[in-house]
Amino acid sequence: MSLRSIISKLIPQKVKDKINIKKQKSFFLEGYNDFLVTGKTSQDAYMTLINLYCRTNGRFNEIMHKKLAALNPPAVKKEGEGLIGKLNEKDFSNINETLKKDGYVSFNKKIPAEIVKKLYDYALKAPSLAAPLYDKKIVYDENNPVSEIYRFDIQDLVNNSDIQALIMDESLINVARNYLESEPIFDFPAMWWSTCFLKEASSEAAQLYHFDMDRIKWLKIFIYLNDVTPENGPHSYIKGSHQTGTKPQHLLNRGYVRISDKELSKEYKKEDFITICAEAGSVFAGDTKCWHKGTPLKKGHRLALEFEYTTSMFGSTNPKMEILNCSDAFKKFCKDNERYASNFSFNNKY
Ligand SMILES: [Fe+2]
């Protein structure tokens, strides 16, 4: 046995872990500085973020987030009417407290039925990308599904005028602003059909429990565009599991992987497993650091729209979203909210 391995054996594992985390933090900071210069996150730096999240049980993300939030303080909070109602400061504060405690909050007010119908009709006609290859766009045929999930192209979504109107909604932005304690960046929209094509839980369709880690901190807004019952794939999450230091460390030690219901049921109380069944137009917000999944469908389909708001674009690298068509109102909104709109790029004509 070499002297090196003898010394290594004498060092307690806890001390080794501390040294390792320290090394990773300095590697992360190098990667973050590169990101500030280039606007791009290297794959290694992104992997280090995920690893540090797992090793520190979320503490590293919170520390980084506090620093970033201090650099980009929230704009003056605007009261007033929006998609989720006419909310005052107290209402927003209650929403924020629920998010901090539970990780999710459902809003009482639904989005108008005519917007739901327009988006639903759009999704029935517009081509989308089907799993597992996502290589060509096809129109979803509800009578003949060929995949468990059909994802719409982000570029198509950001150029849809109804989605642009939702992106501008001040009430949703204010929820993100409060939760992120900073002026948010609109990260991306997503919309997808989940179907009952497969008879078992699909990892591809995120139907096994997992946590997201695209960014340092983020908030998602979900809008159901059809009625969601226990049969057609309700979103499920484990209440409070986004909180720093609360995930079972032995599960985090496995890294960024999917975990079975059975294993998680040994770790959390039954009443903390929440399933969101709600009517078309229902809106809820979630910090998807919580363990979450889409429940596998028994029949029918589910159409969901999702927005992500973030403190920083460090993390998973996607090209900027190119706006090719928009209203004057959207153009003005983006000019007035430069940071929020910084992940859009505008065609020359704007
Ligand atoms: Fe997810």
Side-chain angles (χ1 to χ4, degrees):
M1 192 181 279
S2 69
L3 182 62
R4 199 184 174 138
S5 55
I6 293 169
I7 293 170
S8 172
K9 283 209 162 178
L10 292 172
I11 301 172
Q13 190 56 43
K14 269 194 169 176
V15 176
K16 281 185 195 164
D17 287 348
K18 264 195 170 173
I19 295 168
N20 197 350
I21 288 174
K22 211 174 167 187
K23 272 189 193 162
Q24 287 193 44
K25 280 181 182 170
S26 79
F27 186 75
F28 171 88
L29 289 175
E30 265 177 48
Y32 191 80
N33 285 334
D34 286 346
F35 161 77
L36 290 179
V37 175
T38 64
K40 290 190 179 120
T41 309
S42 72
Q43 187 64 10
D44 285 350
Y46 177 38
M47 288 299 130
T48 307
L49 170 70
I50 296 171
N51 204 21
L52 280 167
Y53 174 81
C54 295
R55 299 295 291 267
T56 66
N57 214 319
R59 289 174 188 88
F60 179 75
N61 291 53
E62 270 311 297
I63 292 166
M64 269 309 291
H65 166 72
K66 293 271 179 218
K67 289 181 181 168
L68 296 175
L71 295 173
N72 299 290
V76 177
K77 295 181 179 72
K78 295 158 189 143
E79 291 185 13
E81 200 148 5
L83 278 173
I84 51 172
K86 193 170 183 177
L87 304 175
N88 60 30
E89 213 165 303
K90 178 91 181 102
D91 299 323
F92 279 117
S93 164
N94 289 340
I95 288 168
N96 206 35
E97 286 311 307
T98 306
L99 271 176
K100 285 204 269 188
K101 183 164 70 72
D102 297 344
Y104 278 69
V105 64
S106 292
F107 303 115
N108 297 327
K109 193 167 181 224
K110 294 205 257 303
I111 67 165
E114 64 267 26
I115 299 178
V116 174
K117 185 175 179 336
K118 276 173 90 175
L119 289 170
Y120 192 86
D121 290 347
Y122 167 83
L124 281 177
K125 288 183 198 132
S128 53
L129 296 153
L133 298 177
Y134 302 110
D135 58 344
K136 65 175 195 297
K137 288 183 184 176
I138 53 171
V139 175
Y140 166 58
D141 176 357
E142 59 184 312
N143 297 314
N144 185 28
V146 295
S147 171
E148 69 274 29
I149 186 155
Y150 295 66
R151 297 183 190 278
F152 288 88
D153 187 330
I154 288 179
Q155 274 306 126
D156 294 340
L157 297 176
V158 292
N159 285 293
N160 175 302
S161 58
D162 296 309
I163 289 177
Q164 287 175 359
L166 299 178
I167 290 172
M168 289 190 280
D169 186 79
E170 283 291 352
S171 61
L172 296 181
I173 298 171
N174 219 19
V175 172
R177 184 179 278 138
N178 290 335
Y179 187 64
L180 298 174
E181 301 164 305
S182 63
E183 198 52 19
I185 300 169
F186 185 81
D187 195 343
F188 63 82
M191 188 164 82
W192 68 100
W193 291 106
S194 307
T195 79
C196 53
F197 178 68
L198 287 184
K199 300 292 169 229
E200 60 204 37
S202 156
S203 179
E204 187 56 51
Q207 289 169 344
L208 293 164
Y209 275 110
H210 63 282
F211 56 88
D212 296 341
M213 193 47 60
D214 290 354
R215 303 277 173 242
I216 293 165
K217 187 155 178 161
W218 66 94
L219 183 72
K220 287 187 174 178
I221 298 282
F222 298 86
I223 303 174
Y224 284 160
L225 296 171
N226 63 333
D227 292 345
V228 178
T229 70
E231 309 275 278
N232 65 329
H235 187 93
S236 299
Y237 66 95
I238 300 180
K239 197 160 104 177
S241 60
H242 64 309
Q243 287 183 23
T244 299
T246 64
K247 286 196 176 73
Q249 192 58 47
H250 70 100
L251 294 180
L252 284 181
N253 289 346
R254 292 186 201 169
Y256 201 27
V257 295
R258 313 236 181 229
I259 308 284
S260 70
D261 293 25
K262 197 175 162 194
E263 280 189 279
L264 287 167
S265 67
K266 290 180 197 153
E267 307 288 346
Y268 293 92
K269 288 182 278 177
K270 207 176 169 190
E271 59 267 32
D272 290 337
F273 286 74
I274 310 291
T275 294
I276 304 177
C277 294
E279 290 174 359
S282 297
V283 187
F284 56 97
D287 179 339
T288 52
K289 281 201 304 294
C290 277
W291 299 109
H292 67 281
K293 65 171 187 171
T295 312
L297 287 79
K298 294 187 191 112
K299 65 177 188 185
H301 56 221
R302 188 191 78 177
L303 180 66
L305 175 67
E306 173 194 292
F307 289 165
E308 180 162 299
Y309 306 81
T310 185
T311 329
S312 160
M313 293 302 292
F314 180 92
S316 156
T317 300
N318 304 310
K320 280 199 177 207
M321 300 173 287
E322 200 180 349
I323 304 297
L324 301 169
N325 299 295
C326 74
S327 62
D328 287 346
F330 188 75
K331 188 169 56 174
K332 182 176 183 317
F333 178 86
C334 290
K335 272 192 178 160
D336 293 347
N337 295 275
E338 217 176 306
R339 180 172 169 78
Y340 181 72
S342 57
N343 199 28
F344 294 128
S345 86
F346 279 79
N347 179 290
N348 286 342
K349 71 178 177 178
Y350 295 116

